[in-house]
Coordinates of all heavy atoms in Angstrom, one line a residue:
M38 N 120.1 116.1 43.4 CA 119.0 115.4 43.9 C 117.9 115.3 42.9 O 117.0 114.5 43.1 CB 118.4 116.2 45.1 CG 119.3 116.2 46.4 SD 119.8 114.5 46.9 CE 118.3 114.1 47.8
L39 N 118.0 116.1 41.8 CA 117.0 116.0 40.8 C 117.1 114.6 40.1 O 116.0 114.1 39.7 CB 117.2 117.1 39.8 CG 116.2 117.3 38.7 CD1 114.8 117.5 39.3 CD2 116.5 118.4 37.7
W40 N 118.3 114.1 39.9 CA 118.4 112.8 39.3 C 117.7 111.7 40.2 O 117.1 110.8 39.6 CB 119.8 112.5 39.0 CG 120.7 112.3 40.3 CD1 121.4 113.3 40.9 CD2 120.9 111.2 41.0 NE1 122.0 112.8 42.0 CE2 121.7 111.5 42.1 CE3 120.5 109.8 40.9 CZ2 122.1 110.6 43.1 CZ3 120.9 108.9 41.9 CH2 121.7 109.3 42.9
L41 N 117.8 111.9 41.5 CA 117.2 110.9 42.4 C 115.7 111.0 42.2 O 115.0 110.0 42.2 CB 117.6 111.1 43.8 CG 117.0 110.2 44.9 CD1 117.4 108.8 44.6 CD2 117.4 110.6 46.3
S42 N 115.2 112.2 42.2 CA 113.7 112.4 42.0 C 113.2 111.8 40.7 O 112.2 111.1 40.6 CB 113.4 113.9 42.0 OG 112.1 114.1 41.7
R43 N 114.0 112.0 39.6 CA 113.6 111.5 38.3 C 113.7 109.9 38.3 O 112.9 109.3 37.7 CB 114.4 112.1 37.2 CG 114.1 113.5 37.0 CD 114.7 114.1 35.8 NE 114.3 115.5 35.6 CZ 114.9 116.3 34.8 NH1 115.9 115.9 34.0 NH2 114.5 117.5 34.7
W44 N 114.7 109.4 39.0 CA 114.9 108.0 39.0 C 113.7 107.3 39.8 O 113.2 106.3 39.4 CB 116.2 107.6 39.7 CG 116.4 106.1 39.9 CD1 116.3 105.5 41.1 CD2 116.6 105.1 38.9 NE1 116.5 104.1 40.9 CE2 116.7 103.9 39.6 CE3 116.7 105.2 37.6 CZ2 116.9 102.7 38.9 CZ3 116.9 104.0 36.9 CH2 117.0 102.8 37.6
L45 N 113.3 107.9 40.9 CA 112.2 107.4 41.7 C 110.9 107.5 40.9 O 110.1 106.6 40.9 CB 112.0 108.2 43.0 CG 113.1 107.9 44.0 CD1 113.0 108.8 45.2 CD2 113.1 106.5 44.4
D46 N 110.7 108.6 40.1 CA 109.5 108.8 39.3 C 109.5 107.7 38.2 O 108.5 107.1 37.9 CB 109.5 110.1 38.6 CG 109.1 111.2 39.6 OD1 108.5 110.9 40.7 OD2 109.4 112.4 39.4
F47 N 110.7 107.4 37.6 CA 110.8 106.4 36.6 C 110.4 105.0 37.1 O 109.7 104.3 36.5 CB 112.2 106.4 36.0 CG 112.4 105.3 35.0 CD1 111.9 105.4 33.7 CD2 113.1 104.2 35.3 CE1 112.1 104.4 32.8 CE2 113.3 103.2 34.4 CZ 112.8 103.3 33.1
C48 N 111.0 104.7 38.3 CA 110.7 103.4 38.9 C 109.2 103.3 39.3 O 108.6 102.2 39.1 CB 111.5 103.3 40.2 SG 113.3 103.1 39.9
M49 N 108.6 104.4 39.7 CA 107.2 104.3 40.0 C 106.3 104.1 38.8 O 105.4 103.4 38.8 CB 106.7 105.6 40.8 CG 107.3 105.8 42.1 SD 106.8 104.5 43.3 CE 105.0 104.9 43.5
N50 N 106.7 104.8 37.7 CA 106.0 104.6 36.4 C 106.1 103.2 35.9 O 105.2 102.7 35.3 CB 106.5 105.7 35.4 CG 106.0 107.1 35.7 OD1 105.0 107.2 36.4 ND2 106.8 108.0 35.3
V51 N 107.3 102.6 36.0 CA 107.5 101.3 35.5 C 106.7 100.3 36.3 O 106.1 99.4 35.8 CB 109.0 100.9 35.5 CG1 109.3 99.4 35.3 CG2 109.8 101.7 34.5
S52 N 106.7 100.5 37.7 CA 106.0 99.6 38.5 C 104.5 99.6 38.3 O 103.8 98.7 38.6 CB 106.4 99.8 40.0 OG 105.9 101.1 40.4
H53 N 104.0 100.8 37.9 CA 102.6 100.9 37.7 C 102.2 100.7 36.3 O 101.0 100.8 35.9 CB 102.1 102.3 38.1 CG 102.2 102.5 39.6 ND1 101.5 101.7 40.5 CD2 102.8 103.5 40.4 CE1 101.8 102.1 41.7 NE2 102.5 103.2 41.7
G54 N 103.1 100.4 35.4 CA 102.8 100.1 34.0 C 102.5 101.4 33.2 O 101.8 101.4 32.2
L55 N 103.0 102.5 33.7 CA 102.7 103.8 33.1 C 104.0 104.3 32.3 O 104.3 105.5 32.3 CB 102.3 104.8 34.1 CG 101.1 104.5 34.9 CD1 100.8 105.5 36.0 CD2 99.8 104.4 34.0
L56 N 104.7 103.4 31.8 CA 106.0 103.8 31.1 C 105.8 104.6 29.8 O 106.6 105.5 29.5 CB 106.8 102.5 30.8 CG 108.2 102.7 30.3 CD1 109.0 103.5 31.3 CD2 108.9 101.4 30.0
A57 N 104.7 104.4 29.1 CA 104.5 105.1 27.9 C 104.4 106.6 28.0 O 105.0 107.3 27.3 CB 103.2 104.5 27.2
P58 N 103.6 107.1 29.0 CA 103.5 108.6 29.1 C 104.9 109.1 29.6 O 105.3 110.2 29.2 CB 102.5 108.8 30.2 CG 101.7 107.6 30.2 CD 102.5 106.5 29.8
A59 N 105.6 108.4 30.4 CA 106.9 108.9 30.8 C 107.9 109.0 29.7 O 108.7 109.9 29.6 CB 107.5 108.0 31.9
M60 N 107.8 108.0 28.7 CA 108.8 108.0 27.6 C 108.3 109.0 26.5 O 109.2 109.4 25.7 CB 108.8 106.6 27.0 CG 109.3 105.5 28.0 SD 111.0 105.6 28.2 CE 111.6 105.0 26.6
A61 N 107.1 109.4 26.5 CA 106.6 110.3 25.5 C 107.1 111.7 25.7 O 106.8 112.6 24.9 CB 105.1 110.3 25.4
G62 N 107.7 112.0 26.8 CA 108.2 113.4 27.0 C 107.3 114.2 27.8 O 107.4 115.5 27.8
S63 N 106.2 113.7 28.4 CA 105.3 114.5 29.2 C 106.1 115.0 30.4 O 106.8 114.3 31.0 CB 104.1 113.7 29.6 OG 104.5 112.7 30.5
R64 N 106.0 116.3 30.7 CA 106.8 117.0 31.7 C 105.9 117.4 32.8 O 104.8 118.0 32.6 CB 107.5 118.2 31.1 CG 108.3 118.9 32.0 CD 109.8 118.5 31.8 NE 110.6 119.4 32.6 CZ 111.3 119.0 33.6 NH1 111.2 117.8 34.0 NH2 112.0 119.8 34.3
V65 N 106.3 117.1 34.0 CA 105.6 117.6 35.2 C 105.9 119.1 35.4 O 107.1 119.5 35.3 CB 106.0 116.8 36.5 CG1 105.3 117.2 37.7 CG2 105.8 115.3 36.2
P66 N 104.9 119.9 35.7 CA 105.2 121.3 35.9 C 106.2 121.5 37.1 O 106.3 120.7 38.0 CB 103.9 121.9 36.3 CG 102.9 121.0 35.8 CD 103.5 119.6 35.8
L67 N 106.9 122.6 37.0 CA 108.0 122.9 38.0 C 107.4 123.0 39.4 O 108.1 122.5 40.4 CB 108.7 124.2 37.6 CG 109.9 124.6 38.4 CD1 111.0 123.5 38.2 CD2 110.5 125.9 37.9
A68 N 106.2 123.5 39.6 CA 105.6 123.6 40.9 C 105.4 122.3 41.5 O 105.6 122.0 42.7 CB 104.3 124.4 40.9
D69 N 105.0 121.3 40.7 CA 104.7 119.9 41.2 C 106.0 119.3 41.6 O 106.1 118.5 42.6 CB 104.0 119.1 40.1 CG 102.6 119.5 40.0 OD1 102.0 120.2 40.9 OD2 102.0 119.1 38.9
E70 N 107.1 119.5 40.8 CA 108.4 119.0 41.2 C 108.9 119.5 42.5 O 109.4 118.8 43.4 CB 109.5 119.3 40.1 CG 109.3 118.5 38.9 CD 110.4 118.7 37.9 OE1 111.4 119.5 38.2 OE2 110.4 118.2 36.8
R71 N 108.7 120.8 42.8 CA 109.1 121.4 44.0 C 108.2 120.8 45.2 O 108.8 120.5 46.3 CB 108.9 122.9 44.0 CG 109.9 123.6 43.2 CD 109.8 125.1 43.2 NE 110.7 125.7 42.4 CZ 110.7 127.0 42.0 NH1 109.7 127.8 42.4 NH2 111.6 127.5 41.2
E72 N 107.0 120.6 45.0 CA 106.1 120.0 46.0 C 106.5 118.6 46.3 O 106.6 118.2 47.5 CB 104.7 120.1 45.6 CG 104.0 121.5 45.6 CD 102.6 121.4 45.1 OE1 102.0 120.3 44.9 OE2 102.1 122.5 44.9
Q73 N 106.9 117.8 45.3 CA 107.3 116.5 45.5 C 108.7 116.5 46.2 O 108.9 115.7 47.1 CB 107.5 115.7 44.2 CG 106.2 115.4 43.5 CD 106.4 114.7 42.2 OE1 107.5 114.6 41.7 NE2 105.3 114.3 41.6
F74 N 109.6 117.4 45.9 CA 110.9 117.5 46.5 C 110.7 117.8 48.0 O 111.3 117.2 48.9 CB 111.7 118.5 45.8 CG 113.1 118.7 46.5 CD1 114.0 117.7 46.4 CD2 113.3 119.8 47.2 CE1 115.3 117.9 47.0 CE2 114.5 120.0 47.8 CZ 115.5 119.0 47.8
L75 N 109.8 118.8 48.3 CA 109.6 119.2 49.6 C 108.9 118.1 50.4 O 109.2 117.9 51.6 CB 108.7 120.5 49.7 CG 109.4 121.8 49.3 CD1 108.5 122.9 49.3 CD2 110.6 122.1 50.2
G76 N 108.0 117.4 49.8 CA 107.4 116.3 50.5 C 108.4 115.2 50.8 O 108.4 114.6 51.9
R77 N 109.3 114.9 49.9 CA 110.3 113.9 50.2 C 111.3 114.4 51.3 O 111.7 113.6 52.1 CB 111.1 113.5 48.9 CG 110.2 112.7 48.0 CD 111.0 112.1 46.9 NE 110.2 111.3 46.0 CZ 110.0 111.6 44.7 NH1 110.6 112.7 44.2 NH2 109.1 110.9 44.0
L78 N 111.6 115.7 51.2 CA 112.5 116.3 52.2 C 111.9 116.2 53.6 O 112.6 115.8 54.6 CB 112.8 117.7 51.8 CG 113.9 118.4 52.5 CD1 115.2 117.6 52.2 CD2 114.0 119.8 52.1
V79 N 110.6 116.4 53.7 CA 109.9 116.3 55.0 C 109.9 114.9 55.5 O 110.1 114.6 56.6 CB 108.4 116.9 54.9 CG1 107.6 116.5 56.1 CG2 108.5 118.4 54.6
Q80 N 109.6 113.9 54.6 CA 109.7 112.5 55.0 C 111.0 112.1 55.5 O 111.1 111.4 56.5 CB 109.3 111.7 53.8 CG 107.8 111.7 53.4 CD 107.5 110.9 52.1 OE1 108.4 110.4 51.5 NE2 106.2 110.7 51.9
I81 N 112.1 112.6 54.8 CA 113.4 112.3 55.3 C 113.7 112.9 56.6 O 114.3 112.2 57.5 CB 114.5 112.7 54.2 CG1 114.4 111.9 52.9 CG2 115.9 112.7 54.8 CD1 115.2 112.4 51.8
A82 N 113.3 114.1 56.8 CA 113.5 114.8 58.1 C 112.7 114.1 59.2 O 113.3 113.8 60.3 CB 113.0 116.2 58.0
V83 N 111.5 113.7 59.0 CA 110.7 112.9 60.0 C 111.4 111.6 60.3 O 111.5 111.2 61.5 CB 109.3 112.7 59.5 CG1 108.5 111.8 60.4 CG2 108.6 114.1 59.5
L84 N 111.9 110.9 59.3 CA 112.5 109.6 59.5 C 113.8 109.8 60.3 O 114.1 109.0 61.2 CB 112.9 109.0 58.2 CG 113.5 107.6 58.2 CD1 112.5 106.6 58.8 CD2 113.9 107.2 56.8
C85 N 114.6 110.8 60.1 CA 115.8 111.1 60.9 C 115.4 111.4 62.3 O 116.1 110.9 63.2 CB 116.6 112.3 60.3 SG 117.3 111.9 58.7
V86 N 114.4 112.2 62.6 CA 114.0 112.5 63.9 C 113.6 111.3 64.7 O 113.9 111.0 65.8 CB 113.0 113.6 63.9 CG1 112.3 113.8 65.3 CG2 113.5 115.0 63.5
L87 N 112.7 110.5 64.0 CA 112.3 109.2 64.7 C 113.4 108.3 64.9 O 113.5 107.6 66.0 CB 111.2 108.6 63.8 CG 109.9 109.3 63.7 CD1 108.9 108.6 62.7 CD2 109.2 109.4 65.1
S88 N 114.4 108.2 64.0 CA 115.5 107.3 64.2 C 116.4 107.8 65.4 O 116.8 106.9 66.2 CB 116.4 107.3 63.0 OG 115.7 106.7 61.9
L89 N 116.6 109.1 65.5 CA 117.4 109.6 66.6 C 116.6 109.4 67.9 O 117.2 109.1 68.9 CB 117.7 111.1 66.4 CG 118.7 111.4 65.4 CD1 118.8 112.9 65.1 CD2 120.1 110.9 65.8
T90 N 115.3 109.5 67.9 CA 114.5 109.3 69.1 C 114.7 107.8 69.6 O 114.9 107.6 70.8 CB 113.0 109.6 68.8 OG1 112.9 110.9 68.4 CG2 112.2 109.4 70.1
V91 N 114.6 106.9 68.7 CA 114.8 105.5 69.0 C 116.2 105.2 69.5 O 116.3 104.5 70.5 CB 114.4 104.6 67.8 CG1 114.8 103.1 68.1 CG2 112.9 104.7 67.5
I92 N 117.2 105.7 68.9 CA 118.6 105.5 69.3 C 118.8 106.0 70.7 O 119.4 105.3 71.5 CB 119.5 106.1 68.3 CG1 119.5 105.3 67.0 CG2 120.9 106.2 68.8 CD1 120.2 105.9 65.8
F93 N 118.4 107.3 70.9 CA 118.6 107.9 72.3 C 117.7 107.2 73.3 O 118.2 107.0 74.5 CB 118.3 109.4 72.3 CG 119.5 110.2 71.7 CD1 119.3 110.9 70.5 CD2 120.7 110.2 72.3 CE1 120.3 111.6 70.0 CE2 121.8 110.9 71.7 CZ 121.6 111.6 70.6
G94 N 116.6 106.7 72.9 CA 115.7 106.0 73.9 C 116.4 104.7 74.3 O 116.4 104.4 75.5
V95 N 116.9 104.0 73.4 CA 117.6 102.7 73.7 C 118.8 103.0 74.5 O 119.1 102.3 75.5 CB 118.0 101.9 72.4 CG1 118.9 100.8 72.7 CG2 116.7 101.4 71.7
F96 N 119.6 104.0 74.2 CA 120.8 104.4 75.0 C 120.4 104.7 76.4 O 121.1 104.2 77.3 CB 121.5 105.6 74.3 CG 122.6 106.1 75.0 CD1 123.8 105.4 75.1 CD2 122.6 107.3 75.7 CE1 124.9 105.9 75.8 CE2 123.6 107.8 76.4 CZ 124.8 107.1 76.5
F97 N 119.4 105.6 76.6 CA 119.1 106.0 78.0 C 118.5 104.8 78.8 O 118.7 104.7 80.0 CB 118.2 107.2 78.0 CG 118.9 108.5 77.6 CD1 118.6 109.2 76.5 CD2 120.0 108.9 78.4 CE1 119.2 110.4 76.2 CE2 120.7 110.0 78.0 CZ 120.3 110.8 76.9
L98 N 117.7 104.0 78.1 CA 117.1 102.8 78.8 C 118.2 101.9 79.2 O 118.2 101.4 80.3 CB 116.2 102.1 77.8 CG 115.5 100.9 78.4 CD1 114.6 101.2 79.5 CD2 114.7 100.2 77.3
G99 N 119.2 101.7 78.3 CA 120.4 100.9 78.7 C 121.2 101.4 79.9 O 121.5 100.7 80.8
C100 N 121.4 102.8 79.9 CA 122.1 103.4 81.0 C 121.3 103.2 82.3 O 121.9 103.0 83.3 CB 122.3 104.9 80.7 SG 123.5 105.1 79.4
N101 N 120.0 103.4 82.2 CA 119.1 103.3 83.4 C 119.2 101.9 83.9 O 119.3 101.7 85.1 CB 117.7 103.7 83.0 CG 116.8 103.8 84.2 OD1 117.3 103.9 85.3 ND2 115.5 103.8 84.0
L102 N 119.2 100.9 83.1 CA 119.3 99.5 83.5 C 120.6 99.2 84.1 O 120.7 98.5 85.1 CB 119.0 98.5 82.4 CG 117.5 98.5 81.9 CD1 117.4 97.6 80.6 CD2 116.6 98.0 82.9
L103 N 121.7 99.8 83.6 CA 123.0 99.6 84.2 C 123.1 100.2 85.6 O 123.6 99.6 86.5 CB 124.1 100.2 83.3 CG 124.5 99.4 82.1 CD1 125.4 100.2 81.2 CD2 125.1 98.1 82.5
I104 N 122.5 101.4 85.7 CA 122.5 102.0 87.0 C 121.7 101.2 88.0 O 122.1 101.0 89.2 CB 122.0 103.5 86.9 CG1 123.0 104.3 86.1 CG2 121.7 104.1 88.3 CD1 122.5 105.7 85.7
K105 N 120.6 100.8 87.6 CA 119.7 100.0 88.5 C 120.4 98.7 88.9 O 120.4 98.3 90.1 CB 118.4 99.7 87.9 CG 117.4 100.9 87.9 CD 116.1 100.5 87.4 CE 115.2 101.7 87.5 NZ 113.8 101.4 87.1
S106 N 121.0 98.0 88.0 CA 121.7 96.7 88.3 C 122.9 97.0 89.2 O 123.2 96.2 90.1 CB 122.2 96.0 87.0 OG 123.2 96.8 86.4
E107 N 123.6 98.1 89.0 CA 124.7 98.4 89.9 C 124.2 98.7 91.3 O 124.8 98.2 92.3 CB 125.5 99.6 89.4 CG 126.7 99.9 90.2 CD 127.5 101.1 89.6 OE1 127.3 101.4 88.4 OE2 128.3 101.7 90.3
S108 N 123.1 99.4 91.5 CA 122.6 99.7 92.8 C 122.1 98.4 93.5 O 122.2 98.3 94.7 CB 121.5 100.8 92.7 OG 120.4 100.3 92.1
M109 N 121.5 97.5 92.7 CA 121.0 96.3 93.3 C 122.2 95.4 93.7 O 122.1 94.8 94.8 CB 120.2 95.5 92.2 CG 118.8 96.1 92.0 SD 117.9 95.2 90.7 CE 117.5 93.7 91.6
M110 N 123.3 95.5 93.0 CA 124.5 94.7 93.4 C 125.1 95.3 94.7 O 125.5 94.6 95.6 CB 125.5 94.7 92.3 CG 125.1 93.8 91.1 SD 126.3 93.8 89.8 CE 127.6 92.8 90.6
N111 N 125.0 96.6 94.8 CA 125.5 97.3 96.0 C 124.6 96.9 97.2 O 125.1 96.7 98.3 CB 125.5 98.8 95.9 CG 126.6 99.3 95.0 OD1 127.6 98.5 94.8 ND2 126.5 100.4 94.4
L112 N 123.3 96.8 97.0 CA 122.4 96.3 98.1 C 122.8 94.9 98.5 O 122.8 94.6 99.7 CB 121.0 96.4 97.6 CG 120.4 97.8 97.5 CD1 119.0 97.7 96.9 CD2 120.3 98.5 98.8
L113 N 123.1 94.1 97.6 CA 123.4 92.7 97.9 C 124.7 92.6 98.7 O 124.9 91.9 99.7 CB 123.5 91.8 96.7 CG 122.2 91.5 96.0 CD1 122.5 90.8 94.7 CD2 121.3 90.7 96.9
T114 N 125.7 93.5 98.3 CA 127.0 93.4 99.1 C 126.9 94.0 100.4 O 127.6 93.6 101.4 CB 128.1 94.1 98.3 OG1 127.7 95.5 98.0 CG2 128.4 93.4 97.0
D115 N 126.0 95.0 100.6 CA 125.8 95.6 102.0 C 125.1 94.7 102.9 O 125.3 94.7 104.1 CB 125.0 96.9 101.8 CG 125.8 98.0 101.2 OD1 127.0 98.0 101.2 OD2 125.1 99.0 100.7
D116 N 124.3 93.8 102.4 CA 123.5 92.9 103.3 C 124.4 91.7 103.7 O 124.0 91.0 104.6 CB 122.3 92.3 102.5 CG 121.2 93.4 102.4 OD1 121.3 94.4 103.2 OD2 120.3 93.2 101.6
R117 N 125.5 91.5 103.2 CA 126.4 90.4 103.6 C 126.9 90.7 105.0 O 127.4 91.7 105.3 CB 127.5 90.2 102.6 CG 127.1 89.5 101.3 CD 128.3 89.2 100.5 NE 128.0 88.5 99.3 CZ 128.9 88.1 98.4 NH1 130.1 88.3 98.6 NH2 128.5 87.5 97.4
R118 N 126.9 89.7 105.8 CA 127.4 89.8 107.1 C 128.5 88.7 107.3 O 128.4 87.6 106.7 CB 126.3 89.6 108.2 CG 125.3 90.7 108.1 CD 124.2 90.5 109.1 NE 123.2 91.5 108.9 CZ 121.9 91.2 109.0 NH1 121.5 90.0 109.3 NH2 121.1 92.2 108.8
P119 N 129.4 88.9 108.1 CA 130.4 87.8 108.3 C 129.7 86.6 108.9 O 128.8 86.7 109.7 CB 131.4 88.4 109.3 CG 131.0 89.8 109.5 CD 129.7 90.1 108.8
S120 N 130.2 85.5 108.6 CA 129.6 84.2 109.2 C 129.9 84.1 110.7 O 130.8 84.8 111.2 CB 130.2 83.0 108.4 OG 131.6 82.9 108.7
K121 N 129.1 83.2 111.3 CA 129.3 83.0 112.7 C 130.6 82.4 113.1 O 131.2 82.7 114.1 CB 128.1 82.1 113.3 CG 126.8 82.8 113.2 CD 125.7 81.9 113.8 CE 124.4 82.7 113.7 NZ 123.3 81.9 114.3
E122 N 131.2 81.6 112.1 CA 132.5 81.1 112.4 C 133.5 82.1 112.5 O 134.5 82.1 113.3 CB 132.8 80.1 111.3 CG 131.9 78.8 111.3 CD 132.2 77.9 110.1 OE1 133.1 78.3 109.3 OE2 131.6 76.9 109.9
A123 N 133.4 83.2 111.6 CA 134.4 84.3 111.7 C 134.3 85.0 113.0 O 135.3 85.4 113.6 CB 134.2 85.2 110.5
E124 N 133.0 85.2 113.5 CA 132.9 85.8 114.8 C 133.5 85.0 115.9 O 134.1 85.5 116.8 CB 131.4 86.0 115.1 CG 130.7 87.1 114.3 CD 129.2 87.2 114.6 OE1 128.7 86.6 115.6 OE2 128.5 87.8 113.7
I125 N 133.3 83.7 115.9 CA 133.9 82.8 116.9 C 135.4 82.9 116.8 O 136.1 83.0 117.9 CB 133.4 81.4 116.7 CG1 131.9 81.3 117.0 CG2 134.2 80.4 117.6 CD1 131.3 79.9 116.6
M126 N 136.0 82.9 115.7 CA 137.4 83.0 115.5 C 137.9 84.3 116.1 O 139.0 84.4 116.7 CB 137.9 82.8 114.1 CG 137.6 81.4 113.6 SD 138.0 81.1 111.9 CE 139.8 81.3 111.9
M127 N 137.2 85.4 115.8 CA 137.6 86.7 116.3 C 137.5 86.8 117.9 O 138.4 87.4 118.5 CB 136.7 87.8 115.7 CG 137.0 88.0 114.2 SD 135.8 89.1 113.4 CE 136.2 90.7 114.3
I128 N 136.5 86.2 118.5 CA 136.3 86.2 119.9 C 137.4 85.3 120.5 O 138.0 85.6 121.6 CB 134.9 85.7 120.3 CG1 133.9 86.7 119.8 CG2 134.8 85.4 121.8 CD1 132.5 86.2 120.0
A129 N 137.7 84.2 119.9 CA 138.7 83.2 120.5 C 140.1 83.8 120.4 O 141.0 83.4 121.2 CB 138.6 81.9 119.7
A130 N 140.4 84.6 119.5 CA 141.8 85.1 119.3 C 142.2 86.2 120.3 O 142.1 86.6 121.2 CB 141.9 85.8 117.9

């Protein structure tokens, strides 16, 4: 993971036009590297938790909608009554 951290630092330095100090061999103290690593680790953890929350939210919302639509269809089928013609045919037979 250290290579990823250094790559991101290099990209940030290039994007900000600060390539000269990075190439000169200036070294960030070890404590700062640990703080940056922990900061990125926390960001990744928060992103994962939020992503899982959204995924499960969509899943449960979809299940709830399916259950409601099924119950509404059952209500429609229960309300159906045989037509008057069928009653007449049953009485005549």
Side-chain angles (χ1 to χ4, degrees):
M38 292 304 280
L39 186 61
W40 63 270
L41 180 62
S42 173
R43 288 189 179 168
W44 175 253
L45 290 173
D46 288 339
F47 176 75
C48 291
M49 292 297 290
N50 288 337
V51 169
S52 67
H53 292 304
L55 302 174
L56 187 57
M60 299 283 289
S63 63
R64 181 97 172 110
V65 178
L67 188 59
D69 287 344
E70 284 185 8
R71 286 183 184 167
E72 289 177 9
Q73 288 178 355
F74 176 73
L75 288 177
R77 288 189 182 119
L78 195 62
V79 168
Q80 288 176 350
I81 291 170
V83 168
L84 184 64
C85 289
V86 168
L87 289 175
S88 299
L89 287 174
T90 304
V91 168
I92 289 170
F93 282 116
V95 168
F96 174 74
F97 287 120
L98 180 64
C100 290
N101 190 18
L102 289 174
L103 283 174
I104 291 169
K105 284 185 179 183
S106 66
E107 185 178 339
S108 67
M109 289 178 70
M110 290 179 73
N111 288 337
L112 287 174
L113 289 174
T114 56
D115 289 340
D116 287 344
R117 286 187 176 181
R118 298 183 185 136
S120 66
K121 292 182 179 181
E122 293 175 2
E124 289 179 14
I125 294 172
M126 292 176 70
M127 291 172 63
I128 294 172

